[in-house]
Amino acid sequence: MMYDSIGRREHEWAGLTAAEVREVGAKPGSILVIPVGSIEQHGEHLPVVTDSLLVEAMVDSAVEQTDGLPVVVSPTVWSGFSPHHLTFGGTLSLDFETIRATLEDIAHTGLQNDFDAVLFVNGHGGNGPLIGSVVSTVGVETDAEVLGTTYFELATDRIEALRDTETGGMAHGGEFETSLMLAVRPDLVGDSSTRNGEPLNESYRWSGQDLLDGGSVSVYRSFDTYSETGAIGLPEEASAEKGERIRSIIAEELASLLDAVHEQNA
Ligand SMILES: [Zn+2]
């Protein structure tokens, strides 16, 4: 996301020449990965870039583990669908149709480089339905395989085993995201006096209770109905060690998915 950190690495779209992108795309089983984040309030202790930064870090860690797979990662789509956060300020959101069209256009133009598959990796709960939509709308228009995932839903059983909070503690800016940020970019995390959240208290038991428990009923709520600080969950239970373990679980799972997609399309 920060242009001065772009590497001339095999996997990083922005640092490659056009010919190099086409070269990877032409390989059997090639995959275009499109990380999708958001810029939105994350309570008093985390920066607004949290979702974009974390999804990018998870994809990076996963791709590092794939041994020579023909994968190229596009620059992270930094804005998402976040109207439910606007009342707190600090949020730069796109209209649903705008971001849908943006993701479709990025996928379609990216696929012109001959990739065999495209995988959207999402880092923000509010983008979930969008990712599902574009898997369908891009999928009907291309012969490439189209897939989507939200990274924190990839390995929920294994992450459940690491948590110190009850369900409700790993919601927006809570134990989970704060731990990952302490592992990935501790310099951007506020000190303990700012880590103020409250467990997610959703009135319908069928609806989402946590990042790890998305629920079977969708309901739209502005986040000021859940929390005064904007953080939902218990960031005071976060630690860098836990964040490292969560990161390695997610990276492993995402790397396995990339392997499987490669094999399926090679
Ligand atoms: Zn977040």
Side-chain angles (χ1 to χ4, degrees):
M1 171 170 296
M2 297 306 162
Y3 297 136
D4 63 358
S5 68
I6 291 170
R8 291 271 309 158
R9 288 184 296 159
E10 190 187 345
H11 300 297
E12 206 169 337
W13 186 291
L16 299 177
T17 66
E20 287 167 338
V21 171
R22 292 199 309 270
E23 202 176 299
V24 183
K27 291 181 179 171
S30 58
I31 308 168
L32 164 59
V33 177
I34 304 176
V36 187
S38 76
I39 296 288
E40 67 189 32
Q41 71 81 21
H42 269 76
E44 296 169 348
H45 64 299
L46 292 180
V48 295
V49 76
T50 294
D51 291 349
S52 291
L53 191 150
L54 288 181
V55 72
E56 194 168 293
M58 297 309 112
V59 168
D60 272 359
S61 302
V63 168
E64 266 169 31
Q65 288 185 25
T66 60
D67 198 15
L69 281 195
V71 174
V72 181
V73 181
S74 83
T76 300
V77 179
W78 58 263
S79 185
F81 183 69
S82 308
H84 46 302
H85 292 286
L86 284 170
T87 56
F88 291 94
T91 299
L92 300 173
S93 181
L94 294 175
D95 177 73
F96 196 90
E97 292 305 326
T98 306
I99 183 168
R100 198 178 85 178
T102 303
L103 297 179
E104 288 168 356
D105 288 352
I106 292 171
H108 284 309
T109 52
L111 286 170
Q112 287 179 16
N113 296 270
D114 215 14
F115 287 92
D116 294 322
V118 55
L119 170 65
F120 294 95
V121 182
N122 172 40
H124 163 51
N127 290 342
L130 270 160
I131 299 299
S133 323
V134 294
V135 166
S136 297
T137 56
V138 175
V140 295
E141 300 269 334
T142 176
D143 292 333
E145 188 167 78
V146 185
L147 307 103
T149 184
T150 294
Y151 81 81
F152 47 78
E153 293 173 351
L154 268 174
T156 51
D157 290 354
R158 293 176 68 194
I159 296 167
E160 274 290 346
L162 294 180
R163 69 188 299 163
D164 292 305
T165 59
E166 301 292 315
T167 296
M170 280 189 165
H172 183 75
E175 181 192 11
F176 176 92
E177 284 187 321
T178 307
S179 294
L180 275 179
M181 282 296 285
L182 284 169
V184 175
R185 283 298 303 269
D187 57 312
L188 294 180
V189 182
D191 65 24
S192 52
S193 71
T194 64
R195 295 179 199 167
N196 304 310
E198 45 199 298
L200 177 57
N201 189 9
E202 165 52 48
S203 43
Y204 294 118
R205 68 182 163 83
W206 301 272
S207 199
Q209 306 293 331
D210 205 81
L211 284 182
L212 303 186
D213 175 8
S216 52
V217 169
S218 305
V219 56
Y220 181 83
R221 295 197 199 289
S222 179
F223 267 36
D224 53 11
T225 63
Y226 287 126
S227 167
E228 269 178 29
T229 62
I232 309 169
L234 297 171
E236 56 268 44
E237 294 291 339
S239 74
E241 298 71 36
K242 212 179 326 187
E244 265 315 332
R245 292 172 71 188
I246 294 172
R247 165 156 64 170
S248 74
I249 289 171
I250 288 168
E252 210 178 287
E253 205 67 29
L254 195 49
S256 303
L257 175 62
L258 288 168
D259 273 329
V261 174
H262 169 67
E263 268 169 40
Q264 173 81 17
N265 290 282

